[in-house]
Amino acid sequence: MAVCIAVIAKENYPLYIRSIPAENKLKFHYMVHTSLDVVEEKISTVGKALVDQRELYLGLLYPTEDYKVYGYVTNSKVKFVIVVDSSNTALRDNEIRSMFRKLHNSYTDVMCNPFYNPGDTIQSKSFDTMVSGMMLQAC
Amino acid sequence: MADNIFFEFLHMEMVDYVYKMDVSREEHEQVKMNAISTLENMGFRVGQGLIERFTKDTPSFKDDLDVMKFLCKDFWVNVFRKQIDNLRTNHQGTYVLQDSKFSLLTQFSNRKQYLLEAPRYLAYTCGMVRGALSNLGVDSIVTAEVSLMPACKFQVVIQRS
Amino acid sequence: MSRQASRASESKKMNSELFTLTYGALVTQLCKDYENDEEVNKQLDKMGYNIGVRLIEDFLARSSVGRCHDFRETADVIAKVAFKMYLGITPSVTNWSPAGDEFSLILESNPLVDFVELPDNHSGLVYSNLLCGVLRGALEMVQMAVDVKFAQDTLRGDNVTEIRMKFIKRIEENLPAGEE
């Protein structure tokens, strides 16, 4: 479903990035980096225009020719970015939302692992498994 | 769900341990500070984790007062099974939270010795509060005082960068 | 989103996440203070012992459990009453030795290890070792010397968490002369 999943710290550096296929890694890293500007814009707009829109899910950040990039920000200002293939038109908004929910739940579990230091890159087997589940597509 | 008394004993044992670890140091005053800050830092990390869980489904916060109200109601109820009894502020970044029956002090009577030692049993919670606020983007200094067991007051002073 | 305060029971139920995270903070602090896992395990056992000798008083006061006549009864009380009261779980009692002096507690879940993933450099850590000390200390206060250790641990890759308890001997109470 997803071709790239990223978790970004509130200081805007990556805590976790995974993408498939491997050769597009750099391209996705760049895409995630660019998307952060859009995220910043969206969360600051909330204060101005959409006063009551205090949702964590940010929706579609921007579409490119081949991909769609979605964003989500937690109350601790950690950002999640999911990139999906544009050709995957079957993927609906609520499915994306549910992917973000899963990410958020797993991230919260990582935060509660006493051996994890906030700010470190995420190195958790169960987090990896959850992300793998969202990236592998049954052919 | 664990029983509160097991937690209270765990907390007391934890405090004793941290103080014992520092006993090898020479100056007594130095000892107290280090043990307090060790406990505070332990609480800080736990506060970060707890607040992450508790704010998973909440909308984002409007301002500092919004955050403090959440701390006094939702956070305190989730953690200590009751709300903060009284919240006061000078509207200039200082908040005083009163808990008339603080969960971690129920094992102590009002003997002078316990009152003097109370800060060591509050350090961990102060750290939790600071950690919770920090993860929501609010930097603060948190202190606590006890005048009559088991009531205590937490003071939160928000730091502006 | 905010949980209802539990009004059901008289005893003060606590937030299990606070318990779990506090225990985690303690273990990681011990790991910082001590060079090796063995030392940490020892400290956890010692601290558990200190807690156990006090917890037993609370247990006896609140559970209205009478004197146990044999080790089997003790096992049942530990699993069905004590674990339930203090950890909210009911392990099963199995694997009795032929002599009836040794048994296992199998824990389906263990609130102490929620969210915990042991890093590779702590493969020797018995994360929940505090529990062994608690059991040892508590039973000592009711005149039983026991040996308690973890035989299996889900944190270290086993399928279940198993605590093995062995009865060593009865500790004689100090009775005044003339009594039996």
Side-chain angles (χ1 to χ4, degrees):
Chain A
M1 289 187 180
V3 292
C4 174
I5 288 178
V7 179
I8 315 288
K10 69 174 166 219
E11 297 89 355
N12 284 339
Y13 64 86
L15 295 171
Y16 186 95
I17 291 195
R18 197 117 78 84
S19 57
I20 46 163
E23 59 262 22
N24 288 338
K25 200 164 103 161
L26 215 55
K27 177 169 79 177
F28 287 125
H29 280 229
Y30 179 72
M31 210 181 282
V32 167
H33 188 78
T34 322
S35 69
L36 290 179
D37 288 333
V38 186
V39 170
E40 290 297 325
E41 220 181 275
K42 282 214 174 217
I43 52 184
S44 61
T45 325
V46 165
K48 296 172 208 155
L50 316 149
V51 171
D52 281 335
Q53 228 265 74
R54 292 185 286 153
E55 259 202 285
L56 306 181
Y57 176 62
L58 299 174
L60 181 67
L61 296 179
Y62 67 96
T64 69
E65 214 176 285
D66 305 307
Y67 304 104
K68 291 204 188 105
V69 184
Y70 295 89
Y72 182 104
V73 67
T74 70
N75 269 305
S76 51
K77 301 298 173 261
V78 166
K79 294 118 184 159
F80 303 136
V81 176
I82 294 180
V83 183
V84 299
D85 205 303
S86 275
S87 59
N88 194 341
T89 49
L91 214 54
R92 285 185 317 228
D93 199 60
N94 62 335
E95 281 165 309
I96 307 276
R97 279 173 189 269
S98 115
M99 285 165 79
F100 277 119
R101 282 234 58 74
K102 280 208 196 92
L103 260 178
H104 198 172
N105 286 335
S106 292
Y107 172 72
T108 315
D109 286 350
V110 168
M111 271 303 279
C112 290
N113 177 12
F115 291 103
Y116 172 70
N117 284 320
D120 286 355
T121 49
I122 294 172
Q123 290 170 318
S124 150
K125 292 196 185 77
S126 42
F127 196 82
D128 284 338
T129 308
M130 182 269 320
V131 169
S132 298
M134 290 200 284
M135 299 188 82
L136 291 174
Q137 179 72 31
C139 300
Chain B
M1 209 144 301
D3 193 282
N4 198 54
I5 198 152
F6 192 3
F7 177 75
E8 282 179 59
F9 285 161
L10 176 69
H11 177 253
M12 286 193 269
E13 196 55 40
M14 190 168 88
V15 172
D16 284 350
Y17 164 75
V18 170
Y19 269 81
K20 257 188 293 211
M21 275 312 280
D22 280 349
V23 90
S24 50
R25 292 183 177 256
E26 283 162 51
E27 294 176 49
H28 185 71
E29 211 37 57
Q30 182 84 1
V31 172
K32 211 158 77 135
M33 273 319 293
N34 279 321
I36 295 265
S37 55
T38 301
L39 288 165
E40 218 265 354
N41 285 327
M42 288 167 81
F44 183 85
R45 176 68 183 90
V46 168
Q48 288 178 310
L50 287 174
I51 204 72
E52 199 70 61
R53 293 200 85 76
F54 298 154
T55 57
K56 230 184 344 176
D57 303 302
T58 62
S60 46
F61 297 98
K62 284 194 299 244
D63 52 27
D64 288 349
L65 184 60
D66 213 19
V67 171
M68 291 307 295
K69 283 188 186 155
F70 183 83
L71 185 74
C72 293
K73 290 207 195 105
D74 300 79
F75 184 86
W76 223 258
V77 164
N78 271 325
V79 178
F80 299 115
R81 287 289 179 248
K82 65 181 286 290
Q83 292 188 21
I84 280 285
D85 296 299
N86 193 294
L87 171 69
R88 290 200 317 256
T89 178
N90 64 358
H91 295 290
Q92 282 170 24
T94 298
Y95 296 85
V96 177
L97 290 66
Q98 264 175 284
D99 190 328
S100 58
K101 199 172 167 199
F102 186 53
S103 173
L104 295 183
L105 294 177
T106 61
Q107 296 296 307
F108 301 104
S109 66
N110 273 306
R111 281 174 55 194
K112 189 154 175 211
Q113 178 212 349
Y114 294 134
L115 285 171
L116 284 173
E117 284 183 354
R120 62 173 75 176
Y121 295 99
L122 297 170
Y124 179 71
T125 303
C126 288
M128 265 203 289
V129 171
R130 192 170 63 88
L133 291 173
S134 163
N135 218 18
L136 294 179
V138 178
D139 285 324
S140 61
I141 294 178
V142 184
T143 52
E145 61 173 40
V146 178
S147 44
L148 192 71
M149 299 278 192
C152 75
K153 279 193 207 147
F154 294 90
Q155 179 169 274
V156 177
V157 180
I158 295 183
Q159 308 292 296
R160 298 259 166 261
S161 49
Chain C
M1 148 208 66
S2 64
R3 303 211 203 113
Q4 302 295 333
S6 144
R7 293 165 208 273
S9 49
E10 188 53 56
S11 67
K12 297 160 283 170
K13 287 285 174 235
M14 64 147 313
N15 175 296
S16 67
E17 283 152 350
L18 175 63
F19 188 77
T20 302
L21 295 189
T22 303
Y23 186 73
L26 175 64
V27 175
T28 47
Q29 185 60 40
L30 287 169
C31 289
K32 281 193 199 119
D33 294 334
Y34 291 99
E35 296 274 295
N36 63 71
D37 292 342
E38 258 318 298
E39 264 308 311
V40 177
N41 295 341
K42 268 200 217 128
Q43 280 301 313
L44 283 172
D45 181 80
K46 215 162 89 166
M47 293 174 77
Y49 178 86
N50 292 341
I51 292 173
V53 302
R54 300 164 81 180
L55 204 60
I56 187 74
E57 282 178 41
D58 178 77
F59 177 72
L60 293 173
R62 288 190 10 222
S63 68
S64 60
V65 153
R67 183 174 274 278
C68 289
H69 294 105
D70 58 24
F71 204 45
R72 278 185 186 266
E73 226 182 296
T74 307
D76 275 345
V77 168
I78 290 173
K80 298 192 180 113
V81 191
F83 264 86
K84 185 93 179 76
M85 199 187 272
Y86 295 112
L87 287 177
I89 56 173
T90 311
S92 45
V93 178
T94 61
N95 286 355
W96 278 99
S97 62
D101 64 345
E102 216 177 318
F103 67 91
S104 292
L105 290 164
I106 308 284
L107 281 65
E108 296 285 305
S109 66
N110 176 2
L112 293 181
V113 308
D114 286 342
F115 326 123
V116 179
E117 282 187 43
L118 269 191
D120 297 326
N121 61 332
H122 284 295
S123 50
L125 186 64
V126 183
Y127 186 86
S128 309
N129 213 32
L130 188 103
L131 292 182
C132 296
V134 173
L135 288 165
R136 196 167 56 84
L139 289 175
E140 194 175 294
M141 292 297 107
V142 289
Q143 272 61 57
M144 272 186 264
V146 294
D147 187 59
V148 192
K149 53 164 79 84
F150 274 86
Q152 292 190 79
D153 192 351
T154 49
L155 274 193
R156 287 156 90 180
D158 299 314
N159 287 332
V160 290
T161 295
E162 180 187 350
I163 297 176
R164 191 98 187 123
M165 284 190 69
K166 184 180 168 73
F167 179 83
I168 308 286
K169 64 173 187 197
R170 184 145 228 108
I171 302 170
E172 292 307 320
E173 288 184 69
N174 287 330
L175 295 173
E179 294 209 28
E180 273 182 317

